[in-house]
DNA sequence: CCGTAGAATGAGAACGAATCTCAGTTGGGG
DNA sequence: CCCCAACTGAGATTCGTTCTCATTCTACGG
């Protein structure tokens, strides 16, 4: 099975931290702040952007918190471009989604495919993987385009 | 139109360099070597890997050649993970394809979707883009899984 | 409610991929 | 064949990210 884990669990907030705790992590101020900041984003976010929103979290702490949360499976490091990493809540927490990337301004936003659309994609993906001896465990779809704001200046 | 530009143009070799020349680039030894090395790969390749294969091309020259070829539209910088960029021939030259990423050994290989499968994906992708005010210009599908070699040790 | 073990923090140093600089070299149009 | 702008090469530099280590805090047992 490749796609869509479960539907958007009402308010992630709680469950994210609970998962982190279950993974044996302490729920420190920095980690709560990082999770809260990620929840407030509409798409994968750079460490620099997070650092700006979390002015009181030192950069070394921010990166360590992100690394630990990635290890715990509640945050994902995705969509690196131009040598800059972006972070988002993991699909296990935020639900499966695709990314719309504006080739002009670089913004990335999440889009949630309809269940039937994603079933179709998952089926295709699994067939391709199988044809090459792979066992598929997931897929990522990045849609490149131009956003409304950049198209009409 | 989102996907699959044209079918695998017989032997890329020539056409890649011609495109580069058409874009106003000089066909220097370093650039020929980089293109040849990329053609020999089965998937996106790191600069370090290329440097190893092209021992006589200094690292600064390698990166510059790659940057220039990316600008010319014949090479694509894709699939960065852990802060390391990977390069491959652009889809305009190599044809549209998806990526199979082994989560165990990290290898990335290209897979060419069947025309009908990719039409389906392109349609879904376009609908999603349109729903969010984007004009889609392309899509990338990364399939995460475990390769045959890693599954049976 | 308090003490404590050990996990987590914070400031800065260190690391490494990628880019830049600049003097010397070379491709290819004229 | 000549010339000059494009390109190269070695090394310095940048900057995102990770590491180090003394200090602080969390969460658990008493």
């Amino acid at each position: 099975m490749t796609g869509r884990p479960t539907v958007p669990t009402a308010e992630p907030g709680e469950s994210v931290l609970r998962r982190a705790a279950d993974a044996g992590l302490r729920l420190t101020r920095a980690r709560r702040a990082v999770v809260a900041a990620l929840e407030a984003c509409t798409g994968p976010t750079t460490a620099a952007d997070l650092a700006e929103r979390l002015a009181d979290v030192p950069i070394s702490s921010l990166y360590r918190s992100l690394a630990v949360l990635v290890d715990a499976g509640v945050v994902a490091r995705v969509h690196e471009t131009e040598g800059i990493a972006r972070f988002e809540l993991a699909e296990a927490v935020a639900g499966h989604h695709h990314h719309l990337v504006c080739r002009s301004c670089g913004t990335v936003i999440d889009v949630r495919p309809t269940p039937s659309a994603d079933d179709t994609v998952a089926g295709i993906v699994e067939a391709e993987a199988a044809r090459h001896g792979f066992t598929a465990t997931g897929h990522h779809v990045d849609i490149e385009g131009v956003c409304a704001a950049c198209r009409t200046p």
Side-chain angles (χ1 to χ4, degrees), chain A:
Chain A
M1 173 261 298
T2 316
R4 197 165 35 83
T6 23
V7 275
T9 42
E11 287 296 319
E14 293 285 289
S15 73
V16 179
L17 292 170
R18 189 166 312 128
R19 270 173 184 269
D22 289 352
L25 301 186
R26 287 191 188 171
L27 302 181
T28 64
R29 194 150 32 84
R31 291 174 187 178
R32 289 173 199 275
V34 169
V35 169
L38 285 173
E39 278 165 5
C41 298
T42 59
T45 311
T46 63
D49 195 355
L50 289 170
E52 199 173 327
R53 294 166 196 239
L54 305 171
D56 55 333
V57 177
I59 197 73
S60 61
S61 217
L62 171 59
Y63 275 110
R64 213 175 353 186
S65 297
L66 286 168
V68 155
L69 292 166
V70 168
D71 273 356
V74 295
V75 168
R77 179 178 177 161
V78 297
H79 213 287
E80 293 177 46
T81 48
E82 338 243 289
I84 299 174
R86 286 174 180 266
F87 299 86
E88 67 177 5
L89 293 181
E91 296 207 330
V93 167
H96 176 61
H97 56 269
H98 299 167
H99 290 141
L100 273 170
V101 186
C102 178
R103 68 189 315 174
S104 170
C105 65
T107 311
V108 184
I109 67 176
D110 295 347
V111 297
R112 195 173 286 285
T114 66
S116 80
D118 200 58
D119 277 345
T120 304
V121 173
I124 289 171
V125 151
E126 244 155 90
E128 285 178 13
R131 202 179 326 132
H132 292 264
F134 268 63
T135 308
T137 58
H139 68 262
H140 305 282
V141 176
D142 291 342
I143 306 171
E144 186 188 275
V146 184
C147 71
C150 287
R151 190 151 15 85
T152 60

